Amino acid sequence: MHATRRLILASLAAGLALPARAADGPSRAEVLATMKRATAFMTEKAAVHGGYVWSYLPDFSRRWGELEAKPTMVWVQPPGTGTMGHLFLDAYHATGDEFYYAAATQAAQALMDGQLPSGGWNYLIDFGGEASKADWYATTGANAWRMEEFQHDWGNGTFDDAGTSEAMQFLLRLYLEKRDPRFKPALDRAVGFVLNSQYPNGGWPQRWPAGRPFTVHGADYTGHITFNDDVAGENIKFLVMLNQTLGDPRAADAIRRAMDVFLITQQPAPQAGWGLQHSLPDLKPVAARSYEPRALATHTTATNVEQLMNFYELTGDPKYLARVPEALDWLARVALPEPRNGRTHPTFIEIGTDRPLYVHRRGSNVVNGAYYVDGGPEKTLGHYGAFRAVKVDALRRRYETLKATPPEKVAASSPLVHKGPLPRYFANQDLATSDLNGGQSLAPLKASPDEAARLVASLNAQGWWPTPLVATSHRYKGPGLATPTPGDYATTHVGDAYDTSPYPTDRPVMGISTSAFIKNMGLLIGQLDAGV
């Protein structure tokens, strides 16, 4: 989802302005009944072979993942099938009701059915078969101007957008729940995917194994060491979970090498940052998609600094803090003179000069359109942020706190040392993504009594929470025209009528949102956990 994670963060509309039931909120029985009715609708009406996309029209005549989906498709990208599986497990933990465990197993079956021979996953699964999927890629996918990862089916698995990570973390949780052997082969294949795809230096490519080549900037970017969307961090998270629970002897070495790749790819001072991706074998920042030039990336650098501090907490090894000050000094130096709408930094910084690089586009669709880079900050892309909010002072304060904490103390409770159970809840604890309509699910979540009452009251007669679908897309109507359509599409999320990319609409219709379901269920789970 890359920039799409932050593309359309609409206000959650499931909490409609309905009167609260009472000061103390709904009863436990009412909360349980609401949760069960909402889940029954999703499993019986919305699910396809146990899997889910992101949003649906009420009559299911149209449905969307990151792009419009066929009726036979489910989405692996969060908040899709794996995230729904996490939520069902959370509900099972909160209620003890086997109904939710059964829903989780159905989601797992969808993922297992769509797991690739390599052990990983693509962004989506099409239960209509290979011909149906090929048709989608040749039509909807190929004409989504800015969605270059969907313009080709490379025939391999991807670490992009946390889809594979979410799926394998969910399968691990589900297997641990009852040690049911039917989930172990798929989990083992997923573990193999992570271990086999890791480079000797510890990094991971975006996609693996190498598929049919796709050329952008004259090269196939998918094999480069990838930090974009925290690919390495998500894989480390899974391996830590694996080490913590099953004690897989292969995990510890893979984790150490993965953490060390952050060290060896950090660029020399005075530009001590990182790019979205780094090449082999020279470990230099490289270009990726057409709107991701060869450059240092400020938001990626901030994320990697946070990860290095996390690694210090995991290991107590001071090497992970050693060059953090250099990165923070560089981030401070390249900050904008004045923030722009709360954004403090340009996204991309030119290597060697510290000059901001800004990405623009011309044309109207994937056929006649093109991206280009210059130093002008005006009329930048609407679908990919030209500016980022980087909290350098907060990062520096955390660094100073960790630097003053003895290694043996900071890592005293590290899951690399202490084996034990995973957290009780996942779906709303570590989910920072959106289905483009339901807002972001953020953690930890617990409804107030009034809010819980509204959630109970606003579940409609069919069993879903009405949510304005503020994102839509053009239906596929044929290949884009070679001549640009009149108009200015430089800053819009979508091009002309031939562009199938998602875009925000000022005339939303009410529909079914997967992320709204996940968030609302999480709020009600919080109510139960609080003793309602």
Side-chain angles (χ1 to χ4, degrees):
M1 202 178 315
H2 41 273
T4 309
R5 287 193 179 215
R6 297 164 294 281
L7 172 61
I8 308 169
L9 303 183
S11 298
L12 181 69
L16 302 176
L18 298 174
R21 169 182 173 272
D24 58 351
S27 68
R28 181 178 179 85
E30 289 173 313
V31 170
L32 288 171
T34 300
M35 289 173 57
K36 199 156 192 175
R37 197 157 61 86
T39 301
F41 175 85
M42 294 302 287
T43 57
E44 295 170 11
K45 303 295 185 182
V48 173
H49 292 266
Y52 302 85
V53 293
W54 292 2
S55 58
Y56 312 76
L57 289 183
D59 63 359
F60 296 103
S61 59
R62 297 185 75 185
R63 63 191 70 204
W64 292 266
E66 193 165 11
L67 291 174
E68 184 162 7
K70 289 190 172 190
T72 52
M73 285 180 168
V74 303
W75 232 249
V76 179
Q77 264 177 296
T81 302
T83 318
M84 289 288 282
H86 276 309
L87 185 279
F88 295 142
L89 270 185
D90 292 355
Y92 177 60
H93 290 163
T95 66
D97 190 335
E98 293 291 331
F99 170 75
Y100 296 107
Y101 181 79
T105 65
Q106 291 165 13
Q109 188 61 57
L111 292 172
M112 292 189 295
D113 289 343
Q115 189 177 26
L116 299 170
S118 63
W121 285 267
N122 190 12
Y123 298 95
L124 54 91
I125 299 166
D126 190 348
F127 288 102
E130 288 300 314
S132 175
K133 185 176 70 167
D135 173 73
W136 183 89
Y137 270 99
T139 55
T140 299
N143 285 277
W145 183 7
R146 62 183 176 81
M147 314 295 288
E148 293 175 0
E149 61 272 44
F150 291 104
Q151 292 171 8
H152 304 266
D153 181 10
W154 289 305
N156 53 13
T158 181
F159 288 116
D160 189 33
D161 290 347
T164 286
S165 176
E166 187 90 317
M168 60 192 183
Q169 290 171 24
F170 165 56
L171 286 179
L172 174 61
R173 284 187 75 204
L174 187 62
Y175 171 70
L176 292 170
E177 192 66 40
K178 297 184 179 182
R179 303 287 174 134
D180 189 327
R182 64 182 152 152
F183 305 118
K184 191 63 162 54
L187 175 60
D188 289 342
R189 286 193 295 273
V191 172
F193 183 75
V194 176
L195 296 176
N196 294 333
S197 61
Q198 188 179 29
Y199 293 134
N201 65 18
W204 280 280
Q206 186 197 71
R207 303 183 72 105
W208 188 85
R212 294 188 292 274
F214 169 51
T215 299
V216 176
H217 299 295
D220 179 8
Y221 71 86
T222 62
H224 296 313
I225 295 170
T226 302
F227 293 111
N228 192 17
D229 285 333
D230 204 20
V231 162
E234 286 287 344
N235 288 342
I236 291 169
K237 175 183 173 183
F238 172 70
L239 291 170
V240 169
M241 290 168 59
L242 186 70
N243 179 79
Q244 178 182 347
T245 55
L246 297 180
D248 191 312
R250 301 168 295 175
D253 173 67
I255 292 167
R256 290 283 184 169
R257 287 189 291 118
M259 293 190 295
D260 287 352
V261 83
F262 285 72
L263 301 178
I264 65 175
T265 52
Q266 185 177 6
Q267 298 301 288
Q271 290 190 303
W274 289 264
L276 298 177
Q277 294 179 304
H278 288 244
S279 63
L280 291 168
D282 63 3
L283 307 180
K284 299 298 184 183
V286 286
R289 289 171 295 185
S290 296
Y291 41 87
E292 294 170 331
R294 177 179 176 269
L296 294 167
T298 55
H299 62 300
T300 300
T301 295
T303 297
N304 285 9
V305 165
E306 289 186 283
Q307 289 289 18
L308 287 173
M309 292 190 281
N310 293 341
F311 300 159
Y312 179 62
E313 292 180 319
L314 280 173
T315 66
D317 193 330
K319 71 180 182 181
Y320 296 113
L321 296 183
R323 296 191 61 207
V324 165
E326 294 178 41
L328 295 177
D329 290 346
W330 177 73
L331 285 170
R333 191 170 66 252
V334 299
L336 295 165
E338 295 292 336
R340 296 174 64 114
N341 298 318
R343 305 300 176 98
T344 58
H345 287 70
T347 294
F348 296 119
I349 302 294
E350 187 174 52
I351 297 169
T353 69
D354 276 349
R355 184 172 70 101
L357 297 176
Y358 297 104
V359 186
H360 310 272
R361 73 179 184 181
R362 54 179 170 262
S364 66
N365 60 52
V366 72
V367 174
N368 61 57
Y371 291 89
Y372 63 96
V373 178
D374 62 24
E378 306 306 323
K379 295 195 73 172
T380 54
L381 304 180
H383 68 79
Y384 195 101
F387 305 95
R388 306 289 168 144
V390 178
K391 299 179 180 178
V392 177
D393 290 343
L395 291 171
R396 203 179 294 277
R397 286 193 298 270
R398 185 185 174 197
Y399 165 78
E400 295 294 346
T401 298
L402 290 174
K403 183 71 173 175
T405 307
E408 63 276 8
K409 182 178 180 180
V410 76
S413 59
S414 170
L416 294 182
V417 178
H418 301 284
K419 305 297 187 289
L422 296 175
R424 184 173 173 82
Y425 301 121
F426 264 68
N428 280 315
Q429 296 296 315
D430 193 23
L431 177 64
T433 190
S434 167
D435 67 0
L436 310 185
N437 298 288
Q440 287 186 309
S441 288
L442 300 174
L445 293 169
K446 175 182 175 297
S448 67
D450 283 356
E451 188 170 14
R454 284 193 292 270
L455 290 177
V456 168
S458 62
L459 189 72
N460 67 17
Q462 290 75 41
W464 49 278
W465 281 288
T467 305
L469 301 187
V470 297
T472 188
S473 64
H474 297 138
R475 293 179 186 268
Y476 172 71
K477 58 181 294 182
L481 302 179
T483 302
T485 301
D488 185 357
Y489 301 97
T491 62
T492 58
H493 286 89
V494 69
D496 61 27
Y498 292 89
D499 182 5
T500 55
S501 303
Y503 65 92
T505 175
D506 57 3
R507 293 190 294 178
V509 298
M510 300 303 283
I512 302 153
S513 160
T514 300
S515 68
F517 170 81
I518 291 167
K519 184 171 184 176
N520 293 346
M521 288 286 289
L523 288 166
L524 295 177
I525 287 170
Q527 283 291 100
L528 295 179
D529 229 34
V532 171

